[in-house]
Structures are given as structure tokens and as C-alpha cells.
Amino acid sequence: MKQLKVVGGLRAGMANATWPFATLKATKDKLVLKAFMIGKFSFSKEDIISIEPFYDIPIIGRGIKINHKVIQYKEKIIFWSFKNPNEIINDIMLLGFLDNT
């Protein structure tokens, strides 16, 4: 099974893990974010409303914002990476994860 893995940072609500203490893993059926000291966030296709590029500070403050329906998770979940946010979203789409959004 094809899988995407990206190392980065993660913000969930006010909690923040800087690079390289977070990972994004995606397959056709699941997207999982893990961050040291913050925890694990696992999403099925049905949990995702959309995934969009997010920019805060040029070059070092760019990532993807996960818009989701999981009530137990913080509303604001952002995965930071040095990789272009549009490339990450495209790579997730190529896996087939965003087929239903």
C-alpha cells in the first residue's frame, strides 16, 4: 500500500511541537498526525472537510490546515513542514485520500 510520510511540526489548538517532532502519515484510507508531547490525531476520509495551505511566516511558517469534523480534537490543527504545502496536499490527493472531499 502506498504511503506518504512527512516530518515537520504540529499545532493543535495552543499546543505546538516544532520541527522535527511531528510526522504526517497518509494512505488511501487514513491520515495520521503524531507529535511528541501533543499526541496522535487519526482521521478517516469521512472526518475531513478539507485540507488547505496555511501560511504564517514566509518559508518557515507554512503548512497545511486540517479542517475536520472530529469533536474530540482541537478545531485548529496545522501541520508545519519545509515542503511546499500545495505539494503535500497534492501528494495526499494522489494517494486517493481526498476522493470524497
Side-chain angles (χ1 to χ4, degrees), residues 9-44:
L10 182 71
R11 177 175 296 273
M14 294 303 291
N16 191 51
T18 60
W19 186 93
F21 297 109
T23 57
L24 175 150
K25 289 184 183 178
T27 64
K28 180 176 134 286
D29 301 313
K30 188 182 263 188
L31 180 113
V32 178
L33 301 168
K34 278 190 198 175
F36 180 71
M37 300 290 287
I38 294 178
K40 177 179 173 181
F41 302 91
S42 184
F43 300 96
S44 67

Side-chain angles (χ1 to χ4, degrees), residues 27-78:
T27 64
K28 180 176 134 286
D29 301 313
K30 188 182 263 188
L31 180 113
V32 178
L33 301 168
K34 278 190 198 175
F36 180 71
M37 300 290 287
I38 294 178
K40 177 179 173 181
F41 302 91
S42 184
F43 300 96
S44 67
K45 289 181 177 188
E46 295 78 25
D47 295 331
I48 301 295
I49 298 165
S50 65
I51 299 176
E52 62 188 68
F54 187 86
Y55 299 94
D56 194 20
I57 302 168
I59 300 171
I60 61 167
R62 60 187 193 171
I64 59 171
K65 183 172 189 268
I66 311 294
N67 299 306
H68 63 89
K69 301 185 248 184
V70 182
I71 296 168
Q72 301 92 319
Y73 295 166
K74 297 290 185 183
E75 181 180 336
K76 187 175 186 179
I77 296 182
I78 299 165

